[in-house]
Amino acid sequence: MVMEFRITERVPTASPGMSSQDALEMIRRKMGEYDTIDYVYILDSDTLAGVVSIREILSHDEILGDFMHRDIICFTPEDDPFDIPYLALSHGIKAIPVVDSGGRFRGVVPYDEIIRILKVEADRNMLHFGGVFHRVVDEKRSPGSMVKSRVPWLIIGVVGGTVTASMIGRFEDLLSGFIALASFIPVMVYMSDAVGTQSEALIIREIAVDPSMNHLKYIKGEFLVAAAIGALSSAFAGLMAGVTRMNPLLGLIVFVSMFFSIIAAVLISTVSPLLFRRMGYDPAVATGPLATILSDFTTTLIYLSVASSLL
C-alpha cells in the first residue's frame, strides 16, 4: 500500500548563533506564516543541526546552539510512512522533521498529519484482519457481472451433487443392509464442510493479506492442523456413534472415515484457492461451490468405501 503524506516547510527555522530572544521575536513577527510552531529547527547551511521547543526557548536566555538537541529523531522520504506515528508516540514529540539522504532539512510532518497516518494504519490493520485487501476488492463490478461470474460455479456444484448421488446409489445394497450407515452420512458431510470452510476462509484471507506467501509451507501447516482436528473430532464422533447405536464397528467406521475425510477436505479447500488464483480466477467466487462439492464427494466416497471394507 502506497501512503501519501504531507510535509510542510512552513515552520520556524533559525541558525545556531541566534539568541533565544531573537528567536521569540522572529516567531511573533511571522506567526501567521507557520503551519506549526511547536519547535524551532536549527539549520546549518540547510543541514538540520538541532531542534528546540518553544518552552525551552522561553526557559533559556543564551543562544540556541548552547541548548539545542543534537540527537534528532528524523524521517527520510525513503522510510515507511507508517513508522511516523510510532516515532512520534515513542519519543513524545508532536512533529517529525524530514531530511534527505544528505541530512538537508526538507520540512516536517505536523501533528495533524501524524494523526491521519495513524488512523489510516489502524483502518488498514482492521481490514487486513478481516481479510479485506485493496488488491482483491473490486467495487466496480455490477450485479449482472457478479451473477455471470458466480452462476457457472454453482452449476458445476449441481452437476457434482448429481454425480455424488449416483455414486451413493452404487452402495445401495450396503446401505440397505446396514441402515445405520445412512444416518451418519449428514454428520460426515457436515464435519468435512465445516472444517473445509474454515480452511477456505483462512487461505483466502492469507492470499489477500500476503500475496507472496510461501504456499508449500502454508499447506504443510494446514495438513498438521487438519490431522490434529481430524483425530480429535473423529475420536469423539466415533465414540458417540458406537455408544448411541451400541455398535463398536460403526464407531470404528465413523472414526476412520471422518479422520481421512477431514484431512481431504482441508487439503481441497486450501489448495483450490491457490490453483484458482494461479489460473486467474477469483478464489473468493470459485472456491466455495467447487471445493464444497469435491469435499462432499470425497467424504461420501471415503465413508462408504471404509464401511464396505470393514463390513
Side-chain angles (χ1 to χ4, degrees):
M1 178 178 181
V2 179
M3 175 67 196
E4 299 291 340
F5 60 99
R6 178 171 61 91
I7 300 175
T8 179
E9 299 178 358
R10 299 174 57 185
V11 294
T13 58
S15 63
M18 180 178 288
S19 68
S20 300
Q21 296 301 322
D22 291 341
L24 289 174
E25 183 60 30
M26 176 193 68
I27 292 172
R28 291 192 187 99
R29 291 198 314 268
K30 300 182 178 181
M31 183 74 73
E33 300 178 11
Y34 300 136
D35 289 332
T36 175
I37 56 171
D38 293 310
Y39 305 98
V40 175
Y41 298 92
I42 315 303
L43 306 183
D44 186 5
S45 300
D46 292 334
T47 300
L48 184 60
V51 61
V52 292
S53 66
I54 299 299
R55 175 179 294 181
E56 291 171 325
I57 292 177
L58 292 171
S59 304
H60 295 79
D61 292 328
E62 59 265 38
I63 63 174
L64 301 180
D66 290 342
F67 62 93
M68 69 182 184
H69 298 278
R70 301 177 186 274
D71 186 14
I72 312 168
I73 305 301
C74 296
F75 181 83
T76 65
E78 291 77 23
D79 295 334
D80 187 351
F82 290 111
D83 290 338
I84 293 177
Y86 302 103
L87 284 174
L89 291 172
S90 60
H91 294 89
I93 52 182
K94 300 177 181 178
I96 300 291
V98 180
V99 297
D100 60 18
S101 57
R104 290 182 292 272
F105 183 70
R106 289 292 177 258
V108 301
V109 182
Y111 71 92
D112 57 335
E113 187 67 7
I114 292 175
I115 297 299
R116 189 186 72 84
I117 295 173
L118 185 62
K119 181 181 182 303
V120 172
E121 170 73 347
D123 292 344
R124 185 183 70 160
N125 289 339
M126 288 298 296
L127 290 172
H128 282 189
F129 180 77
V132 180
F133 197 66
H134 70 285
R135 271 177 270 192
V136 297
V137 175
D138 188 357
E139 298 178 350
K140 297 181 180 180
R141 300 180 70 175
S142 64
S145 64
M146 288 297 294
V147 171
K148 184 179 179 180
S149 65
R150 295 170 67 174
V151 166
W153 300 107
L154 297 175
I155 292 176
I156 292 175
V158 173
V159 174
T162 304
V163 173
T164 301
S166 177
M167 182 268 296
I168 293 176
R170 295 179 177 273
F171 292 88
E172 184 176 347
D173 293 339
L174 174 67
L175 294 173
S176 61
F178 195 179
I179 196 63
L181 286 175
S183 62
F184 277 89
I185 290 179
V187 178
M188 302 293 299
V189 171
Y190 166 77
M191 284 301 300
S192 297
D193 286 346
V195 178
T197 300
Q198 289 177 335
S199 298
E200 177 189 330
L202 291 173
I203 183 62
I204 291 177
R205 185 177 69 182
E206 189 69 20
I207 292 173
V209 174
D210 183 15
S212 60
M213 59 178 287
N214 187 322
H215 295 172
L216 184 59
K217 181 178 179 181
Y218 187 92
I219 292 173
K220 288 181 178 179
E222 278 296 294
F223 176 80
L224 295 177
V225 172
I229 293 176
L232 295 173
S233 301
S234 59
F236 180 73
L239 178 63
M240 293 298 294
V243 171
T244 57
R245 294 305 176 98
M246 303 295 291
N247 191 327
L249 182 57
L250 177 61
L252 179 61
I253 293 173
V254 171
F255 169 73
V256 175
S257 302
M258 185 173 292
F259 176 76
F260 289 106
S261 296
I262 287 177
I263 292 179
V266 168
L267 292 178
I268 290 172
S269 298
T270 301
V271 174
S272 296
L274 299 176
L275 293 178
F276 285 130
R277 179 170 175 263
R278 183 177 292 274
M279 292 186 294
Y281 295 106
D282 185 353
V285 173
T287 303
L290 190 60
T292 299
I293 193 58
L294 284 177
S295 176
D296 291 351
F297 179 85
T298 304
T299 296
T300 307
L301 180 61
I302 291 174
Y303 178 54
L304 296 179
S305 297
V306 169
S308 180
S309 300
L310 294 181
L311 293 175

